[in-house]
Amino acid sequence: IAFTGKDFGFDSVNGLLEKAAYARREIKENYEKEYRIFDESLNRKIIKEKKIESCIRSGFANNEFCVVYQPKISLTTEKVVGAEALVRWNSEKIGKVLPDEFIPIFERNGSIASLDFFVYEEVFKFLHDSIEKNLPVVPISVNMSRFHANSVDFVEKFDQLIKKYEIPSNLIEVEILERSVSNGTSSLRSIIDGLHERGFKVSMDDFGVGESSLTMLDTIPVDTLKIDKNFLREENDWERTKRIIVKIVELAKDLKKSVVCEGVENKAQVEFLNSINCDVAQGFFYSKPLNPKEFSEFLTEKGC
Ligand code: C2E
Ligand code: MG
Ligand code: MG
């Protein structure tokens, strides 16, 4: 709902429709809310988003994006068994912006395709350099936005880029989001099959927060489940959460998938996850996301 008039400011019909559509988008994935009124807080949000959007082009031109690596640790050996590549943006015009703030905007206007491929290339370059310098390497996982789920040449482009840097496919894993799955499974399925044929592993990111987590287990052939970090939030009822996580790990093991838990922040969580045979943990308890140099040092220090 959007209002117009002397108390709200005057809008054209198009302006009003745009505001109402924006309010609707805000509650699209929230089934508890039946309506949303376009108010001052949404107006501020729209202004911020437009500002972010207007900085994207110069962001690419000025090389403002970079990639950091968050280690993944084996719960049995405590060694580093991988890392996730995460993008960072330090904009000259608007300062540091968080991925949760800018990724949805990039997804809406399509810039995410360039950003994701920028990240892939940075990761492949980093692995290439590390191999050349005889530094330790571990498999790196990269995020695939839901935007690519409808792309016919994603796998081909991905494969060509990795060949350019001569990286073995077993050093790369692709994390897909559950949300990409609810948009329709057939094109995503062919992407996953294509990645598997070329030797890449695929994991399901943020498992347990979407609407279709269980049906997708049946239809989308991933190798690994990444349990969403929200399960480990402090305000949760820890005893109840533990029961849910136990069952997720059991189910994954039954289906011959490995399990990573993200957002691990303390020792009690590590001990619990280890006791229920969860394979791998990722989170601030072990390390925050690190720049390439820090990450190589971490690998040398911790062992892999
Ligand atoms: P994600 O893929 O689930 O990444 C994990 C997020 O959890 C990261 O947030 C990471 O910094 C954060 N995190 C790690 N350990 C902890 C912890 O112990 N506690 C808590 N509370 N959080 C932790 P980040 O880097 O802000 O990224 C947020 C999301 O943005 C990512 O979630 C991913 O969906 C998206 N994203 C990040 N980089 C990329 C990218 O290159 N491409 C695409 N398509 N999406 C990306
Ligand atoms: Mg991820
Ligand atoms: Mg995640």
Side-chain angles (χ1 to χ4, degrees):
I1 300 170
F3 294 114
T4 184
K6 72 174 168 36
D7 295 336
F8 309 97
F10 290 97
D11 275 295
S12 64
V13 171
N14 274 346
L16 262 184
L17 284 174
E18 202 184 298
K19 285 181 171 174
Y22 191 83
R24 180 174 58 185
R25 206 178 66 209
E26 282 294 292
I27 54 167
K28 200 170 157 211
E29 280 162 23
N30 183 342
Y31 296 105
E32 283 162 14
K33 286 199 176 157
E34 288 165 349
Y35 66 93
R36 176 78 158 96
I37 293 171
F38 188 92
D39 57 16
E40 193 39 43
S41 72
L42 280 193
N43 202 26
R44 277 198 300 273
K45 205 168 163 206
I46 248 187
I47 291 169
K48 173 120 203 240
E49 287 188 1
K50 287 206 166 130
K51 190 140 200 213
I52 292 178
E53 201 163 3
S54 71
C55 296
I56 294 178
R57 197 194 286 253
S58 59
F60 280 113
N62 301 339
N63 234 330
E64 293 174 351
F65 300 98
C66 67
V67 177
V68 288
Y69 298 88
Q70 187 173 38
K72 295 183 188 175
I73 310 291
S74 157
L75 283 158
T76 42
T77 65
E78 298 240 291
K79 296 238 181 285
V80 190
V81 288
E84 174 171 13
L86 296 158
V87 70
R88 292 290 176 263
W89 185 12
N90 193 355
S91 160
E92 201 182 302
K93 291 185 188 147
I94 45 173
K96 282 192 178 150
V97 203
L98 293 171
D100 283 335
E101 261 181 304
F102 68 80
I103 297 277
I105 301 170
F106 281 56
E107 285 185 328
R108 273 200 299 277
N109 73 12
S111 319
I112 193 71
S114 315
L115 186 68
D116 272 354
F117 273 92
F118 163 81
V119 171
Y120 304 156
E121 186 149 13
E122 287 296 297
V123 170
F124 301 161
K125 273 189 215 160
F126 170 64
L127 281 171
H128 181 91
D129 271 10
S130 304
I131 294 169
E132 282 224 313
K133 290 181 187 147
N134 259 327
L135 292 168
V137 287
V138 285
I140 306 284
S141 54
V142 293
N143 288 288
M144 185 192 110
S145 156
R146 65 182 127 168
F147 180 88
H148 301 292
N150 299 318
S151 152
V152 281
D153 60 353
F154 175 82
V155 177
E156 203 49 50
K157 271 174 69 189
F158 191 82
D159 200 39
Q160 269 170 16
L161 194 60
I162 197 171
K163 285 205 172 103
K164 182 172 155 196
Y165 291 94
E166 301 170 310
I167 309 296
S169 54
N170 63 1
L171 279 182
I172 295 295
E173 181 173 299
V174 179
E175 296 191 3
I176 56 167
L177 285 169
E178 242 185 332
R179 279 168 291 160
S180 353
V181 180
S182 31
N183 287 348
T185 57
S186 66
S187 48
L188 187 69
R189 167 114 208 199
S190 69
I191 288 185
I192 294 176
D193 289 344
L195 290 169
H196 275 152
E197 275 161 26
R198 289 164 176 81
F200 302 106
K201 287 260 166 52
V202 181
S203 65
M204 176 62 57
D205 204 354
D206 301 350
F207 182 74
V209 293
E211 320 105 58
S212 60
S213 14
L214 294 173
T215 45
M216 81 90 229
L217 280 180
D218 210 19
T219 47
I220 302 291
V222 295
D223 309 285
T224 303
L225 295 187
K226 278 192 92 175
I227 300 178
D228 188 68
K229 57 180 177 294
N230 279 310
F231 281 103
L232 298 186
R233 279 214 310 238
E234 262 188 11
E235 56 268 35
N236 293 353
D237 174 346
W238 181 224
E239 288 309 313
R240 213 175 56 168
T241 304
K242 283 205 288 196
R243 284 193 209 129
I244 299 171
I245 297 177
V246 168
K247 293 296 174 204
I248 296 179
V249 174
E250 239 173 59
L251 184 60
K253 292 288 154 125
D254 236 5
L255 296 169
K256 309 266 180 298
K257 299 181 195 303
S258 62
V259 192
V260 178
C261 191
E262 57 176 33
V264 176
E265 292 183 358
N266 60 52
K267 183 118 184 97
Q269 293 168 343
V270 168
E271 279 166 3
F272 163 69
L273 291 167
N274 193 18
S275 76
I276 62 161
N277 290 328
C278 178
D279 304 290
V280 173
Q282 176 184 342
F284 299 152
F285 178 72
Y286 289 109
S287 172
K288 66 179 180 32
L290 304 168
N291 71 36
K293 186 168 170 283
E294 292 168 332
F295 177 59
S296 288
E297 285 162 8
F298 187 89
L299 277 182
T300 312
E301 224 169 84
K302 269 262 180 186
C304 53

